[in-house]
């Protein structure tokens, strides 16, 4: 949240954000690895807000069997328009994120992080599923 507040101060007329955390989650006892979310949020700001007249970042945290964190922006990162988002040519931040997740999954088994990306014309969503975190 602090990172988003700082970014909003830099672009007060452009950026809005909303963080929704399921009420049943006790966030004080859930440890998400450092530097896992910040690069995704940074990308959402860069591609979903900065290059537009205005935009919104939405982060939601839910718990079913696992914990799901979704970061959504109102950006245009359609894979067909931007070649760097195709699987064969990932951006550096995506490569670094994927490597962090791979290392985490190797070291902290049975805890596991699964990343899903959906880059569309009207919005982009990155969903992290945190298995065995609770």
């Amino acid at each position: 949240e602090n990172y988003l507040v700082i970014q909003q101060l830099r672009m007060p007329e452009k950026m809005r954000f909303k963080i929704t955390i399921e009420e049943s989650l006790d966030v004080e006892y859930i440890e998400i690895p450092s530097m896992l979310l910040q690069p995704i949020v940074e990308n959402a700001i860069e591609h979903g807000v900065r290059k537009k007249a205005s935009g919104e970042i939405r982060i939601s945290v839910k718990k079913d069997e696992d914990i799901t964190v979704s970061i959504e922006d109102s950006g245009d990162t359609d894979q067909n328009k931007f070649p760097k988002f195709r699987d064969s040519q990932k951006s550096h931040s995506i490569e670094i994120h994927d490597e962090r997740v791979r290392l985490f999954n190797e070291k902290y088994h049975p805890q596991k992080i699964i990343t899903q990306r959906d880059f569309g014309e009207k919005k982009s969503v990155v969903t992290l599923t945190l298995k065995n975190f609770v």
Side-chain angles (χ1 to χ4, degrees):
E1 184 174 9
N2 291 339
Y3 179 75
L4 287 166
V5 170
I6 291 169
Q7 294 302 316
Q8 192 174 42
L9 289 171
R10 293 178 64 214
M11 315 176 253
E13 302 299 318
K14 279 184 106 168
M15 188 177 116
R16 299 176 314 280
F17 72 89
K18 182 177 182 178
I19 300 174
T20 307
I21 300 173
E22 190 175 280
E23 287 184 26
S24 66
L25 273 170
D26 192 351
V27 293
E28 289 186 35
Y29 297 104
I30 298 170
E31 292 187 32
I32 296 176
S34 62
M35 293 306 293
L36 183 67
L37 299 178
Q38 189 272 337
I40 297 169
V41 172
E42 185 175 353
N43 262 2
I45 292 168
E46 181 64 28
H47 300 287
V49 176
R50 193 177 316 274
K51 297 176 182 177
K52 296 177 70 176
S54 67
E56 183 175 22
I57 307 293
R58 289 180 294 282
I59 300 173
S60 67
V61 184
K62 299 177 183 175
K63 182 183 180 302
D64 295 322
E65 189 173 304
D66 303 309
I67 297 171
T68 304
V69 180
S70 294
I71 299 113
E72 180 178 327
D73 68 66
S74 56
D76 185 353
T77 50
D78 183 8
Q79 292 177 347
N80 297 318
K81 293 182 183 175
F82 298 94
K84 73 178 184 177
F85 289 110
R86 292 187 191 130
D87 288 338
S88 62
Q89 294 181 313
K90 290 182 181 178
S91 74
H92 291 296
S93 62
I94 290 174
E95 288 177 352
I96 292 167
H97 169 82
D98 289 349
E99 180 65 9
R100 284 184 182 141
V101 168
R102 185 189 67 75
L103 292 170
F104 178 89
N105 289 343
E106 284 179 7
K107 185 172 183 176
Y108 294 103
H109 181 76
Q111 285 185 323
K112 186 174 184 177
I113 300 167
I114 299 169
T115 305
Q116 294 177 284
R117 296 178 184 90
D118 181 15
F119 299 120
E121 284 190 49
K122 303 259 185 206
K123 68 178 181 177
S124 300
V125 182
V126 177
T127 304
L128 301 173
T129 303
L130 311 175
K131 295 191 162 288
N132 301 313
F133 273 67
V134 186

